[in-house]
Amino acid sequence: MTDQQSLTPLKTLLFAFHATNTIIISYLPVYLEGKGLTGSQIGWVLAVGPLASILAQPFWGYLSDKYKTVKKILLICVFGLIIFSSIFLSMSHFLWIMFVGFFFYFFATPVGALGDSLAQRRADEVGVSFGTIRTWGSVGFATSSLVIGLVLTYTGVEYMIWPYLAFAFIALYVTFRVKDVEVSKEPVSFEDFKRLVSNKPFVIFLFFMMFLTISHRANDSFIGLYINQLGGTNFVIGSAWFIGVISEAIVFATAGWWFRKYHTLIFVILAGVIYSFRWFLFATADSYWLVLALQFTHGLTFGILYLASLDYVTRLIPKLTQSTGHLLFYAVFFGISGIIGSLIGGALIDVYGGGTLYFVLGIIAVAGTIFMTLYHILPYGKKA
């Protein structure tokens, strides 16, 4: 088997997992609204996912580093994802949705981080760009958003569990065929974890990055409801995600040509500038067509930010604890930011509407861009 062929199961795993992910991100708020939950309640349910990920990411990452395997941890998580998603998407009562949702997210959220960590290290082993592997996650997300959006428009969002489980079982099948990564033979101790979280450049970078990711995660949670407020259908929501993630896939796929031409933090700052303009323009929308037109900037924001920040973090942390470090990064990027973004977003869209929500997100993104610029100028930004 050639190196490229050995990457096929990993690419398929990323495709299938992100296909499931788009169903949750794109349609869960609309699904919960159909269950009778208010905007604030939806915000609380969406905040449970990031809360679970804050606990799950370092937990599974530490086990991965300790037992020297990513593949086996992935298998456990995908099994758990299938079991708890079946229960989670059959609940109707708010408190039960919150309770079961925590366990669903505890197994589901690490899959993306572990898959990307595996892809990052396999890319280094094989000598290819990480973006060329990660592109398949974006393609899965985009394909699912368009196809499932069309299906749910005709069948109803209450049937979202069936396409979700279909992609989940594909992910489970290919995980058995994924090639594990070669890891350091040195044992990992709790002291290594403590040294990781006391790494000042690492911690400061994650804190400043969080201002950008809060705005990103709030948009993930509420763009579907915002499009509904502007008169869009489930198919319009799917189309918005399709446009956004196709632009993301292009950014990942072309990373080999443009990435590393400048310092990694320059790309993080650039993403922050585009995020700021994007949210302020969203705030002015009086039709869902403007949201659709601006979705191409998703690749220029999330695509650039994620690729650049993951690369920067990889340079900052020791190879011995890279699974743990990557999952801590993921816990901040999608976890802590997701909790804050979901709670703030739920309250704002419930009381003031989507326009005010996106204006506030623009202010938060501006703050994050300023902080990242200062970080780059000061000595901490030179550590990697």
Side-chain angles (χ1 to χ4, degrees):
M1 181 184 291
T2 67
D3 286 337
Q4 287 295 333
Q5 288 173 326
S6 75
L7 294 176
T8 300
L10 178 56
K11 292 176 180 178
T12 308
L13 169 63
L14 293 176
F15 179 96
F17 171 72
H18 286 281
T20 66
N21 211 25
T22 189
I23 297 172
I24 295 296
I25 291 175
S26 303
Y27 299 107
L28 184 60
V30 181
Y31 172 83
L32 294 174
E33 189 177 48
K35 292 279 188 179
L37 274 62
T38 66
S40 295
Q41 288 177 321
I42 293 171
W44 278 102
V45 173
L46 297 178
V48 165
L51 173 63
S53 76
I54 291 171
L55 302 174
Q57 307 286 19
F59 173 77
W60 294 115
Y62 177 74
L63 290 182
S64 176
D65 285 329
K66 182 176 178 63
Y67 294 105
K68 309 300 181 185
T69 177
V70 178
K71 176 178 177 175
K72 290 177 182 176
I73 301 299
L74 271 170
L75 278 170
I76 294 170
C77 288
V78 175
F79 267 117
L81 175 156
I82 291 172
I83 293 168
F84 284 102
S85 66
S86 303
I87 305 170
F88 176 57
L89 295 176
S90 64
M91 296 285 101
S92 297
H93 191 276
F94 171 58
L95 292 179
W96 276 112
I97 291 172
M98 291 270 289
F99 179 74
V100 179
F102 177 87
F103 291 98
F104 161 67
Y105 284 114
F106 188 83
F107 287 94
T109 53
V111 176
L114 287 166
D116 285 356
S117 179
L118 186 59
Q120 177 85 47
R121 290 189 276 181
R122 289 285 291 130
D124 289 341
E125 287 181 359
V126 176
V128 301
S129 165
F130 164 70
T132 60
I133 303 175
R134 181 56 175 77
T135 299
W136 288 95
S138 301
V139 172
F141 199 112
T143 303
S144 176
S145 65
L146 193 63
V147 174
I148 303 305
L150 186 60
V151 169
L152 295 182
T153 296
Y154 288 101
T155 63
V157 75
E158 64 270 21
Y159 294 105
M160 61 184 276
I161 186 173
W162 301 114
Y164 184 90
L165 288 176
F167 283 119
F169 275 106
I170 294 172
L172 178 63
Y173 171 74
V174 295
T175 302
F176 281 103
R177 304 185 61 214
V178 164
K179 183 178 179 181
D180 217 344
V181 69
E182 292 184 13
V183 295
S184 169
K185 301 300 183 185
E186 298 177 58
V188 176
S189 68
F190 189 68
E191 290 300 315
D192 295 309
F193 177 79
K194 287 199 295 185
R195 277 194 290 272
L196 183 63
V197 297
S198 62
N199 181 330
K200 286 185 179 179
F202 178 57
V203 173
I204 293 171
F205 175 78
L206 292 183
F207 178 72
F208 287 165
M209 181 191 71
M210 194 167 64
F211 286 84
L212 299 177
T213 54
I214 285 171
S215 71
H216 171 79
R217 293 294 287 141
N219 173 70
D220 278 355
S221 297
F222 295 103
I223 187 173
L225 293 182
Y226 189 43
I227 288 173
N228 269 355
Q229 286 184 357
L230 295 172
T233 64
N234 288 336
F235 182 67
V236 175
I237 295 171
S239 299
W241 279 107
F242 178 79
I243 294 167
V245 182
I246 284 296
S247 71
E248 172 191 314
I250 292 171
V251 167
F252 283 137
T254 58
W257 286 282
W258 59 265
F259 197 49
R260 300 188 193 281
K261 290 185 182 296
Y262 302 98
H263 192 288
T264 310
L265 290 176
I266 295 295
F267 291 111
V268 174
I269 294 165
L270 174 63
V273 171
I274 302 172
Y275 264 127
S276 304
F277 281 107
R278 182 184 178 192
W279 303 144
F280 285 133
L281 289 171
F282 266 39
T284 67
D286 56 4
S287 165
Y288 62 78
W289 286 108
L290 179 59
V291 175
L292 286 177
L294 289 169
Q295 274 299 89
F296 79 92
T297 59
H298 174 82
L300 301 176
T301 50
F302 171 73
I304 292 175
L305 176 65
Y306 185 74
L307 189 63
S309 56
L310 182 61
D311 182 80
Y312 184 75
V313 163
T314 302
R315 294 161 180 261
L316 275 179
I317 56 182
K319 190 171 183 179
L320 179 64
T321 53
Q322 283 208 340
S323 284
T324 308
H326 284 158
L327 269 77
L328 282 172
F329 162 79
Y330 223 77
V332 173
F333 201 113
F334 297 100
I336 296 173
S337 300
I339 292 174
I340 299 171
S342 294
L343 295 179
I344 291 175
L348 287 174
I349 202 168
D350 217 13
V351 178
Y352 300 105
T356 300
L357 166 62
Y358 279 101
F359 181 78
V360 173
L361 297 186
I363 294 173
I364 294 172
V366 168
T369 306
I370 293 171
F371 287 141
M372 275 299 177
T373 303
L374 292 174
Y375 179 84
H376 180 50
I377 293 171
L378 295 174
Y380 279 131
K382 312 293 190 295
K383 294 292 183 182

